[in-house]
Amino acid sequence: EAGVTQFPSHSVIEKGQTVTLRCDPISGHDNLYWYRRVMGKEIKFLLHFVKESKQDESGMPNNRFLAERTGGTYSTLKVQPAELEDSGVYFCASSQVGGSADTQYFGPGTRLTVL
Amino acid sequence: AQSVAQPEDQVNVAEGNPLTVKCTYSVSGNPYLFWYVQYPNRGLQFLLKYITGDNLVKGSYGFEAEFNKSQTSFHLKKPSALVSDSALYFCAVRDFAGNAGNMLTFGGGTRLMVKP
């Protein structure tokens, strides 16, 4: 069974540009999460989809970040315009059932560098 | 609010010796606790979790963790370390009651270095 995949693995852009990250969850997983780790700090939650609906977007830092999951399959996270402080590793995770006991399975992450 | 502390940025251990990576947590209700490992240039890999029941949880690659409610800890252990265990380890917590939704709250990570 294929795991969570993310594209691209690395992205280097200049401040003010736009970047779109993609996540493909494990097949059959309705729950999809985005997290990020900035500057070697803690991994922080961004948002949670259940199918195509945003269940919780309390961790989204500001309106420069837009996440979508059209059709309830893959998800994209767009940063527009990117700022220097957006640099970090963006992780996607998916889980089957949801709920507190559910295990989230993570992808390899996308390393974003904003110059 | 829920939080996790990993008090050691790095743990050094010799191959063959036992290892412990420490984690303490804070939640408003009962916790669900997780350990993940990140190998170089790889994503986060699930190791084990505590949901309920036996306080000693066994996971992948010979790792285990002990839930201690009175000390609010969930330390990761392995009886005999391997060089290949060298990686970054993350402890995470979720509130049983779902007071913070389904989000995981992570500690800052502990780098484990196992030397031959």
Side-chain angles (χ1 to χ4, degrees), chain B residues 19-20 33 35 47-60 62-69 73-79:
Chain B
L19 69 87
T20 299
L33 294 153
W35 275 102
L47 271 180
L48 51 81
K49 67 181 179 183
Y50 170 80
I51 301 301
T52 188
D54 193 346
N55 289 343
L56 185 64
V57 179
K58 295 186 182 296
S60 306
F63 283 93
E64 58 188 27
E66 185 167 13
F67 171 62
N68 187 317
K69 188 172 183 178
S73 67
F74 189 57
H75 301 330
L76 181 70
K77 300 181 180 182
K78 187 173 182 180

Coordinates of all heavy atoms in Angstrom, one line a residue, chain B residues 19-20 33 35 47-60 62-69 73-79:
Chain B
L19 N 18.5 2.8 25.8 CA 18.3 4.2 25.6 C 16.9 4.6 26.1 O 16.0 3.8 26.2 CB 18.4 4.5 24.1 CG 17.3 3.9 23.1 CD1 16.1 4.9 23.0 CD2 17.8 3.7 21.7
T20 N 16.9 5.9 26.5 CA 15.6 6.5 26.9 C 15.5 7.9 26.3 O 16.5 8.6 26.4 CB 15.5 6.6 28.5 OG1 15.6 5.3 29.0 CG2 14.2 7.3 28.9
L33 N -1.2 9.4 23.4 CA 0.2 9.7 23.2 C 0.8 8.9 22.1 O 0.5 7.7 21.9 CB 0.9 9.4 24.5 CG 0.5 10.3 25.7 CD1 0.7 9.7 27.0 CD2 1.2 11.7 25.6
W35 N 4.5 8.3 19.5 CA 5.9 8.6 19.2 C 6.1 8.4 17.7 O 5.6 7.4 17.1 CB 6.9 7.6 19.9 CG 7.2 8.1 21.3 CD1 6.7 7.7 22.5 CD2 8.2 9.1 21.6 NE1 7.4 8.3 23.6 CE2 8.3 9.2 23.0 CE3 9.1 9.9 20.9 CZ2 9.1 10.1 23.7 CZ3 9.9 10.8 21.5 CH2 10.0 10.8 22.9
L47 N 5.8 5.2 15.3 CA 6.4 4.1 16.1 C 5.5 3.4 17.0 O 5.4 2.1 17.0 CB 7.5 4.7 17.0 CG 8.9 4.9 16.4 CD1 9.8 5.5 17.5 CD2 9.5 3.5 15.9
L48 N 4.7 4.1 17.8 CA 3.8 3.5 18.7 C 2.8 4.5 19.3 O 3.1 5.7 19.2 CB 4.5 2.8 19.9 CG 5.6 3.6 20.6 CD1 5.0 4.5 21.7 CD2 6.6 2.6 21.3
K49 N 1.8 4.0 20.0 CA 0.9 4.9 20.6 C 0.3 4.3 21.9 O 0.2 3.1 22.0 CB -0.3 5.3 19.7 CG -1.2 4.2 19.3 CD -2.3 4.7 18.3 CE -3.2 3.6 17.9 NZ -4.2 4.1 16.8
Y50 N -0.1 5.2 22.8 CA -0.8 4.8 24.0 C -2.3 5.3 23.9 O -2.4 6.5 23.7 CB -0.2 5.3 25.3 CG -1.1 5.0 26.5 CD1 -1.1 3.8 27.1 CD2 -1.9 6.1 27.0 CE1 -2.0 3.6 28.2 CE2 -2.7 5.9 28.0 CZ -2.8 4.6 28.6 OH -3.6 4.4 29.7
I51 N -3.2 4.4 24.0 CA -4.6 4.8 24.0 C -5.3 4.6 25.3 O -5.8 5.4 26.0 CB -5.4 4.2 22.9 CG1 -4.7 4.5 21.5 CG2 -6.9 4.6 22.8 CD1 -4.7 5.9 21.2
T52 N -5.2 3.3 25.7 CA -5.7 2.9 27.0 C -5.2 1.5 27.3 O -4.5 0.9 26.5 CB -7.3 2.9 27.0 OG1 -7.8 2.6 28.3 CG2 -7.8 1.8 26.1
G53 N -5.4 1.1 28.6 CA -5.0 -0.3 28.9 C -3.6 -0.3 29.5 O -3.2 0.6 30.3
D54 N -2.8 -1.3 29.1 CA -1.5 -1.5 29.7 C -0.6 -0.3 29.5 O -0.5 0.3 28.4 CB -0.8 -2.7 29.0 CG 0.4 -3.3 29.7 OD1 0.9 -2.6 30.6 OD2 0.9 -4.4 29.3
N55 N 0.0 0.1 30.6 CA 0.9 1.3 30.5 C 2.1 1.1 29.7 O 2.7 2.1 29.3 CB 1.3 1.7 32.0 CG 0.1 2.3 32.7 OD1 -0.9 2.6 32.2 ND2 0.2 2.3 34.0
L56 N 2.6 -0.1 29.5 CA 3.7 -0.4 28.6 C 3.3 -0.7 27.2 O 2.6 -1.7 27.0 CB 4.6 -1.5 29.2 CG 5.9 -1.8 28.5 CD1 6.8 -0.6 28.6 CD2 6.6 -3.0 29.1
V57 N 3.7 0.1 26.3 CA 3.3 -0.1 24.9 C 4.5 -0.5 24.1 O 5.5 0.1 24.2 CB 2.7 1.3 24.4 CG1 2.3 1.1 22.9 CG2 1.5 1.8 25.2
K58 N 4.3 -1.5 23.3 CA 5.4 -2.0 22.4 C 5.1 -1.5 21.0 O 4.0 -1.5 20.5 CB 5.5 -3.5 22.5 CG 6.0 -4.0 23.9 CD 6.2 -5.4 23.9 CE 6.6 -5.9 25.3 NZ 7.9 -5.3 25.7
G59 N 6.2 -1.1 20.3 CA 6.0 -0.6 19.0 C 7.0 -1.2 18.0 O 7.5 -2.3 18.2
S60 N 7.3 -0.5 16.9 CA 8.1 -1.0 15.9 C 9.6 -1.0 16.3 O 10.0 -0.2 17.1 CB 8.0 -0.1 14.6 OG 6.6 0.0 14.2
G62 N 11.6 -2.7 18.0 CA 12.0 -3.0 19.4 C 11.8 -1.9 20.4 O 12.2 -2.0 21.5
F63 N 11.2 -0.8 19.9 CA 10.9 0.3 20.9 C 9.7 0.0 21.7 O 8.8 -0.7 21.3 CB 10.7 1.6 20.1 CG 12.0 2.2 19.6 CD1 12.4 1.9 18.3 CD2 12.7 3.1 20.4 CE1 13.6 2.5 17.8 CE2 13.9 3.6 19.9 CZ 14.4 3.3 18.6
E64 N 9.7 0.6 22.9 CA 8.6 0.6 23.8 C 8.5 1.9 24.5 O 9.5 2.7 24.6 CB 8.7 -0.6 24.8 CG 9.9 -0.6 25.6 CD 10.1 -1.9 26.4 OE1 9.6 -2.9 26.0 OE2 10.7 -1.8 27.5
A65 N 7.3 2.2 25.1 CA 7.1 3.4 25.9 C 6.2 3.1 27.0 O 5.3 2.3 27.0 CB 6.6 4.5 25.0
E66 N 6.5 3.8 28.1 CA 5.8 3.6 29.3 C 5.0 4.8 29.7 O 5.5 5.9 29.9 CB 6.7 3.2 30.5 CG 5.9 2.9 31.8 CD 6.8 2.2 32.8 OE1 8.0 2.2 32.7 OE2 6.2 1.7 33.8
F67 N 3.7 4.7 29.8 CA 2.8 5.8 30.2 C 2.7 5.8 31.7 O 2.5 4.8 32.4 CB 1.4 5.5 29.7 CG 0.3 6.4 30.2 CD1 0.4 7.8 29.9 CD2 -0.8 6.0 30.9 CE1 -0.6 8.7 30.4 CE2 -1.7 6.8 31.4 CZ -1.6 8.2 31.2
N68 N 3.0 7.0 32.2 CA 3.0 7.2 33.7 C 2.1 8.4 34.0 O 2.5 9.6 33.8 CB 4.4 7.5 34.2 CG 4.4 7.5 35.8 OD1 3.5 8.1 36.4 ND2 5.4 6.9 36.3
K69 N 0.9 8.1 34.4 CA -0.1 9.2 34.6 C 0.3 10.2 35.7 O 0.1 11.4 35.5 CB -1.5 8.6 34.9 CG -2.6 9.6 34.9 CD -4.0 9.0 35.0 CE -5.1 10.0 34.9 NZ -6.4 9.4 34.9
S73 N 4.1 11.4 32.0 CA 5.3 11.2 31.1 C 5.0 10.0 30.2 O 4.1 9.2 30.5 CB 6.5 10.9 32.0 OG 6.4 9.6 32.7
F74 N 5.7 9.9 29.1 CA 5.6 8.9 28.1 C 7.0 8.7 27.5 O 7.2 9.0 26.3 CB 4.5 9.2 27.1 CG 4.1 8.1 26.2 CD1 3.7 6.9 26.7 CD2 4.2 8.3 24.8 CE1 3.3 5.9 25.8 CE2 3.8 7.3 23.9 CZ 3.4 6.1 24.4
H75 N 7.9 8.2 28.3 CA 9.3 8.0 27.8 C 9.4 6.9 26.9 O 8.9 5.8 27.1 CB 10.2 7.8 29.0 CG 10.2 9.0 30.0 ND1 9.9 10.3 29.7 CD2 10.4 9.0 31.3 CE1 10.0 11.0 30.7 NE2 10.3 10.3 31.8
L76 N 10.2 7.1 25.8 CA 10.5 6.1 24.8 C 11.7 5.3 25.2 O 12.7 5.9 25.6 CB 10.7 6.7 23.5 CG 11.0 5.8 22.3 CD1 9.7 5.0 21.9 CD2 11.5 6.6 21.1
K77 N 11.7 4.0 25.1 CA 12.8 3.2 25.6 C 13.1 2.1 24.6 O 12.3 1.6 23.8 CB 12.5 2.6 26.9 CG 12.3 3.6 28.0 CD 12.0 2.9 29.4 CE 11.7 4.0 30.4 NZ 11.5 3.4 31.8
K78 N 14.4 1.6 24.7 CA 14.8 0.4 23.9 C 15.9 -0.3 24.7 O 16.8 0.4 25.1 CB 15.3 0.8 22.5 CG 15.6 -0.4 21.6 CD 15.8 0.0 20.2 CE 16.1 -1.2 19.3 NZ 16.4 -0.9 17.9
P79 N 15.8 -1.6 24.9 CA 16.8 -2.2 25.7 C 18.2 -2.2 25.2 O 19.2 -2.1 26.0 CB 16.3 -3.7 25.8 CG 14.9 -3.6 25.4 CD 14.8 -2.5 24.4

